[in-house]
Amino acid sequence: MRERFWERFPLEELSHEEWEALCDGCGRCCLVKLQDEDDGRLYFTDLACQYLDHHQCRCTTYADRFERVPDCVRVTARMARNYDWLPASCAYRRLARGQGLADWHPLISGDPESVHRAGISVRDAVVSETAVAEADYEDHVVRWV
Ligand code: SF4
Ligand code: SF4
């Protein structure tokens, strides 16, 4: 990877390896989100995709995630720039909006645990979507810091 690539190149010019390294491993994009039918507002929940490892905050089926979860979404530079369903802490969203990486990001700290210590990740704070009836999803709306 190129030295401090996240400061020197736009998202569109990153290599695959650099792009993957940008993910801070928070797991927040793998949470069920609810949208208000009237005003379109998005709400995060503490319900995780059934394939999220709750402690590592990583997908357990990353290579074939789109086959297993048809509505799993590939993050792109355009999406990070234009849509709000990525959390404000997300590295892709931050860079796309000119905010730079936070000091707890593993690329800055040099430690993959720093995202967990900073309380940004969903580590051990979520339940599987399969453990809750869909009618009760609204009870799981939370505000992540
Ligand atoms: S929200 Fe962004 S940084 Fe966090 S796991 Fe998802 S893609 Fe990676
Ligand atoms: S399939 Fe994997 S990447 Fe997609 S939402 Fe589920 S845990 Fe996240």
Side-chain angles (χ1 to χ4, degrees), residues 38-140:
D38 295 325
D39 61 16
R41 280 184 66 182
L42 270 185
Y43 296 89
F44 281 79
T45 70
D46 63 0
L47 299 170
C49 170
Q50 60 181 309
Y51 294 109
L52 186 74
D53 179 316
H54 296 186
H55 189 71
Q56 297 300 329
C57 304
R58 294 284 180 182
C59 178
T60 58
T61 187
Y62 195 68
D64 57 356
R65 61 196 189 281
F66 300 118
E67 283 78 51
R68 289 182 189 262
V69 181
D71 58 355
C72 177
V73 177
R74 187 188 300 279
V75 177
T76 63
R78 186 168 165 271
M79 174 194 299
R81 198 165 288 124
N82 298 318
Y83 297 103
D84 285 339
W85 70 264
L86 282 171
S89 61
C90 174
Y92 300 101
R93 177 170 160 164
R94 288 179 63 109
L95 289 190
R97 300 173 194 211
Q99 295 171 317
L101 296 183
D103 56 6
W104 43 259
H105 192 287
L107 285 172
I108 303 295
S109 67
D111 179 0
E113 289 295 306
S114 57
V115 64
H116 306 300
R117 278 198 303 272
I120 299 298
S121 82
V122 303
R123 172 172 275 181
D124 300 330
V126 292
V127 292
S128 174
E129 60 185 345
T130 58
V132 176
E134 216 168 314
D136 297 329
Y137 278 11
E138 278 185 25
D139 298 340
H140 287 264

Side-chain angles (χ1 to χ4, degrees), residues 22-30 57 75 86-87 90-92:
L22 264 190
C23 178
D24 58 38
C26 72
R28 290 188 184 189
C29 58
C30 300
C57 304
V75 177
L86 282 171
C90 174
Y92 300 101

